[in-house]
Amino acid sequence: MWTFRTGLLIGLAVAIAIGAGGVTYERYDTKTLKRTIRRGEVLCGVNTGLPGFSNPDDKGNWSGFDVDFCRAVAAAIFDDPNKVKFVPLQTDERFKELQNRKIDILSRNTTWSMSREENYDLNFVAAAYYDGQGFMTPKSRNLESALALDGSKVCVQDGTTTQLNLADYFRANNIKFEEMKFGKLEEVVKAYDSGQCDVFTSDVSQLYALRLKLSNPGDHIILPDVISKEPLAPVVRQRDDDWMMIVKWTLYAMINAEELGVTSKNIDEALKSKKPDVMRLVGNEGSYGEDLGLTRDWAVRIIRHIGNYGEVYDRNVGSGSKLDIPRGLNQLSSAGGIQYAPPIR
């Protein structure tokens, strides 16, 4: 016999099951690609303004290394690099907005670490840029090494791995310093530029970029010391393997293209190539694009619209940019760096 109590218990059980399902969906969404295609654009979380990586002009047009990566994903999916909406995010909100599905990809000069993957249920798909923490200081101090920074006032952004690395480095080398911490990066730059501190520490790539924003950029040098490993990587939500594979292999396609000498300028010639590695890259052999849920020419779309890894690096942060950052570790492994992509085969 059904009783009121029995019905109530069944109702509660159903409600709990529905609620649990909602929580699971919230944390482990597995339909990013379908939703992106239905929406008609990729939602890309980027820095609010970092020259060379993600920076809007006065008309709201975005450019930079991280921006180009999101455009490459859009090119692979839609054959149109402009089908991207850029969402500027502060440091303290970047992971939360990705968790809440406000963006599809976080491409925002973000360091890959174990705790971030575990604590936020996120996946860093692959290292797009190998960086490390360094120091900027006025030329007038005539310093040649970070080991000579004893007694310095150091500007650093609060709540970052940069702050932790700073403390570790000075403690390990028995050097005294005064930490000047600020909540937002813009506040750190302003404090350093106004002389509140005589050292600015951040990722080396960021120091090159932010030096351009100082009142007198030429009056400041970046010391040669690199005190940490900072692999910067695009980030996606966990439990969405199809989407992660697309984002990951977008980067690997660009690196493989550079390794094979395929560029945005010679992509039409590459389509005629009889070299097996090139044929697989451009979709003339195998079904690699279809296996990703894309078209056979997915990599051709990326290279034609955005270019290979070297082209993206040079125009945004390398020799073709104002930053002129040496490629260093970001050279291909065949050229002395550590950039290396698994083969498409």
Side-chain angles (χ1 to χ4, degrees), residues 49-224:
L50 185 65
F53 287 86
S54 54
N55 203 44
D57 62 17
D58 54 4
K59 295 181 180 178
N61 299 311
W62 288 87
S63 64
F65 183 91
D66 292 336
V67 165
D68 274 353
F69 179 74
C70 282
R71 288 199 171 115
V73 174
I77 297 170
F78 300 110
D79 198 18
D80 185 347
N82 296 313
K83 289 193 174 183
V84 185
K85 179 180 179 180
F86 296 104
V87 182
L89 299 172
Q90 296 289 346
T91 301
D92 59 358
E93 62 183 351
R94 52 187 168 170
F95 298 130
K96 185 184 301 181
E97 293 299 86
L98 180 57
Q99 286 178 312
N100 292 338
R101 301 199 306 276
K102 298 297 178 62
I103 55 174
D104 304 316
I105 308 169
L106 179 65
S107 184
R108 189 198 178 282
N109 61 293
T110 300
T111 299
W112 185 354
S113 72
M114 181 177 179
S115 62
R116 285 176 169 174
E117 285 197 319
E118 289 184 337
N119 296 341
Y120 296 102
D121 294 316
L122 301 173
N123 279 327
F124 289 73
V125 298
Y129 188 102
Y130 289 99
D131 210 346
Q133 187 171 330
F135 300 93
M136 179 162 59
T137 192
K139 281 183 180 179
S140 59
R141 299 187 72 193
N142 295 315
L143 300 180
E144 297 181 355
S145 169
L147 295 173
L149 293 174
D150 191 42
S152 295
K153 292 182 178 180
V154 184
C155 274
V156 64
Q157 187 173 8
D158 191 23
T160 60
T161 55
T162 306
Q163 187 180 21
L164 302 176
N165 294 335
L166 171 66
D168 286 348
Y169 179 77
F170 277 79
R171 184 173 68 235
N173 289 284
N174 197 27
I175 303 173
K176 295 181 180 179
F177 75 105
E178 182 179 349
E179 181 186 74
M180 306 286 287
K181 61 184 180 181
F182 301 87
K184 295 184 178 180
L185 188 60
E186 294 82 1
E187 296 171 340
V188 186
V189 176
K190 184 178 180 179
Y192 175 75
D193 200 22
S194 65
Q196 292 183 47
C197 40
D198 40 35
V199 180
F200 183 3
T201 186
S202 187
D203 292 351
V204 172
S205 64
Q206 199 166 52
L207 293 177
Y208 272 92
L210 295 175
R211 181 166 61 175
L212 298 177
K213 294 188 174 185
L214 300 178
S215 302
N216 297 292
D219 292 347
H220 303 269
I221 61 168
I222 297 167
L223 298 175

Side-chain angles (χ1 to χ4, degrees), residues 66 167 169 183 280 306 331 345:
D66 292 336
Y169 179 77
R280 287 190 288 269
I306 304 299
Q331 276 284 8
R345 67 168 309 133

